[in-house]
Amino acid sequence: METLSVRGKDFVAQKPTFFDVLGDLWDPKFNPNGIVNIGLAENTLMHAELEDFINTNSKFTTHALTYGDGFSGSHNLKEAICHFLNNQLSPTTALNPSHLAITSGVSNAVECCAWALADIGDYILVGRPYFNAFKTTLGTRPDIKLLEVSFGDIDPFSLEAVQVYQNAYEEARGKGLRVRALILCSPHNPLGRCYPEHVLREYMRLCGRSGLHLVSDEIYALTVWDNPRIKDAPRFKSILSMGDQPVMDPSMIHAVWGLSKDFGATGLRLGCLISQANMALIEAAEGISLYNFPSSLADQVATSLLRNDEFVGDYIVKNRMRLADSYLFATEFLRNHGIPYLESNAGLFVWMNIGAAVQGDPITDHEVVERLRKEKVYIATGAVYASEETGWFRMVFAHPKDVLEEGLNRLLRAIDVSQ
Ligand SMILES: Cc1ncc(COP(=O)(O)O)c(C=O)c1O
């Protein structure tokens, strides 16, 4: 007898493949034959500091044992996030708690946008390559489709790229498709770069002209560091700080942020949807907040963290230094072994062309993945991110050097056919 519904069976097929990686993680002492995970977007560089902060500062109250202030985050956390983001993102209009809905991770905040800004079968524009889970968060439950924009030789961070979006939008409209929004990942996952301010403004103009919502995923807002090889690379500019020259309807501008990346705390499951001029969107998110309700223990931990300016200030500085250091270590290794990559100064990634570096006869990405699996190192293939070219992979460098060294040596073994 069939035990699952049709959609239940679809969900089985969507179980993330990296769960196998997490079930057998390399540890030099306890699991030396395990898999080195330099593929999943996590930053472990500041774990010791955060662990210590949480263990020293956590004092939970019974409020955490209740439904709290509702399902969309406590008043205290909303205030703490506003305090923190007002300092870090310099929004044109200061954030206040009514602008936020707290969710259990940024994935859920993105999903709220899909539920509330688009209907089944509608489209959201996204440029290639893009963060793979947009397909899941926008598609799996809300049933929104991604309209992928290909750039060819055009730099995705240039003004020309905005025109490519415009063309894609018009073509879709010509075919009768309903396009509701454009999602930007700013700073970008997987390319690890920030959009220049004038380009962001042009995206806003495009959305304004076309009546599109602009969703800016700013989960890597503070994960920007100095890369001496690209000294002039743009720094991060939040969409919330661009209201001085209004070029689109402010009720169509939305941002998401959370603690998963900037605080290296994917397990806390805390994110937020921010919309400063669209109370209906926040209320819609509250309407489905039972499904996005973060744990009140996580809520209280995040509140004490974000209220502590001194700890947070030190954390950000140290995190940036360690990111810069690990990035240089990883990219020096790649340079020394002739593996091409694109420079970055944001996010946790090195976007590299393993296909171009493979010794001997050219092989497919699938074959590269097989070899990486055999050598027990996890690095995600570009196909997952809808890369326009084959050969590209996304490596995560935000780990201590011993992890990087082990993972990169395994990578070398995997691509050197003479071994
Ligand atoms: C751009 C982007 N948005 C959202 C997420 C999801 O974050 P969370 O773990 O808070 O759901 C990720 C995680 O990799 C990401 O890279």
Side-chain angles (χ1 to χ4, degrees), residues 53-349:
F53 178 88
I54 292 172
N55 287 329
T56 313
N57 292 278
S58 296
K59 188 138 185 7
F60 300 108
T61 69
T62 55
H63 202 52
L65 305 178
T66 71
Y67 287 122
D69 302 329
F71 305 158
S72 66
S74 69
H75 299 322
N76 284 342
L77 178 56
K78 286 182 185 169
E79 269 165 24
I81 290 183
C82 289
H83 169 73
F84 174 74
L85 292 183
N86 282 334
N87 283 339
Q88 299 297 333
L89 305 188
S90 310
T92 313
T93 305
L95 292 168
N96 73 53
S98 73
H99 299 152
L100 306 184
I102 315 285
T103 53
S104 55
V106 170
S107 304
N108 289 43
V110 172
E111 198 193 53
C112 284
C113 293
W115 284 120
L117 303 178
D119 286 305
I120 293 175
D122 286 353
Y123 283 80
I124 294 185
L125 282 163
V126 64
R128 299 169 65 185
Y130 59 85
F131 167 51
N132 52 326
F134 282 153
K135 219 177 246 169
T136 316
T137 46
L138 300 167
T140 301
R141 297 194 296 187
D143 211 359
I144 305 306
K145 297 190 166 47
L146 292 180
L147 190 65
E148 295 178 353
V149 180
S150 306
F151 298 110
D153 290 336
I154 292 172
D155 175 2
F157 300 91
S158 66
L159 277 181
E160 289 79 6
V162 187
Q163 185 58 45
V164 180
Y165 269 94
Q166 173 88 51
N167 298 346
Y169 169 71
E170 277 160 19
E171 198 183 314
R173 287 259 309 211
K175 289 184 192 153
L177 306 181
R178 274 184 322 194
V179 186
R180 304 306 301 261
L182 186 157
I183 187 160
L184 281 186
C185 190
S186 165
H188 195 275
N189 172 7
L191 297 178
R193 282 168 60 191
C194 300
Y195 289 92
E197 185 172 341
H198 69 285
V199 174
L200 276 181
R201 180 100 46 214
E202 206 50 38
Y203 275 111
M204 297 173 89
R205 282 203 189 94
L206 164 62
C207 289
R209 275 196 305 273
S210 313
L212 294 171
H213 290 273
L214 178 57
V215 178
S216 182
D217 182 337
E218 302 190 352
I219 194 169
Y220 296 100
L222 305 179
T223 306
V224 183
W225 72 93
D226 290 323
N227 177 348
R229 296 195 200 102
I230 45 169
K231 284 203 181 80
D232 298 335
R235 306 295 288 195
F236 170 69
K237 172 94 180 147
S238 171
I239 206 76
L240 303 173
S241 68
M242 307 238 343
D244 51 328
Q245 294 170 41
V247 289
M248 70 177 285
D249 178 352
S251 72
M252 308 282 274
I253 302 173
H254 323 288
V256 293
W257 180 79
L259 282 89
S260 295
K261 315 296 169 171
D262 287 344
F263 283 96
T266 47
L268 264 188
R269 307 310 305 141
L270 268 179
C272 63
L273 167 63
I274 306 168
S275 194
Q276 295 191 274
N278 192 334
M279 290 309 102
L281 173 59
I282 299 299
E283 283 173 10
E286 284 176 339
I288 52 171
S289 54
L290 179 59
Y291 313 111
N292 305 316
F293 191 3
S295 161
S296 302
L297 290 181
D299 184 308
Q300 291 193 359
V301 166
T303 304
S304 62
L305 174 66
L306 298 177
R307 273 178 177 166
N308 192 325
D309 291 341
E310 196 186 334
F311 178 81
V312 163
D314 285 352
Y315 184 101
I316 294 170
V317 172
K318 238 189 228 167
N319 187 35
R320 287 188 164 144
M321 274 165 33
R322 288 185 191 170
L323 284 165
D325 213 35
S326 279
Y327 175 84
L328 280 185
F329 180 82
T331 50
E332 274 304 314
F333 189 102
L334 298 179
R335 290 161 94 90
N336 289 339
H337 293 94
I339 302 174
Y341 68 93
L342 299 183
E343 292 291 352
S344 59
N345 70 328
L348 309 171
F349 323 106

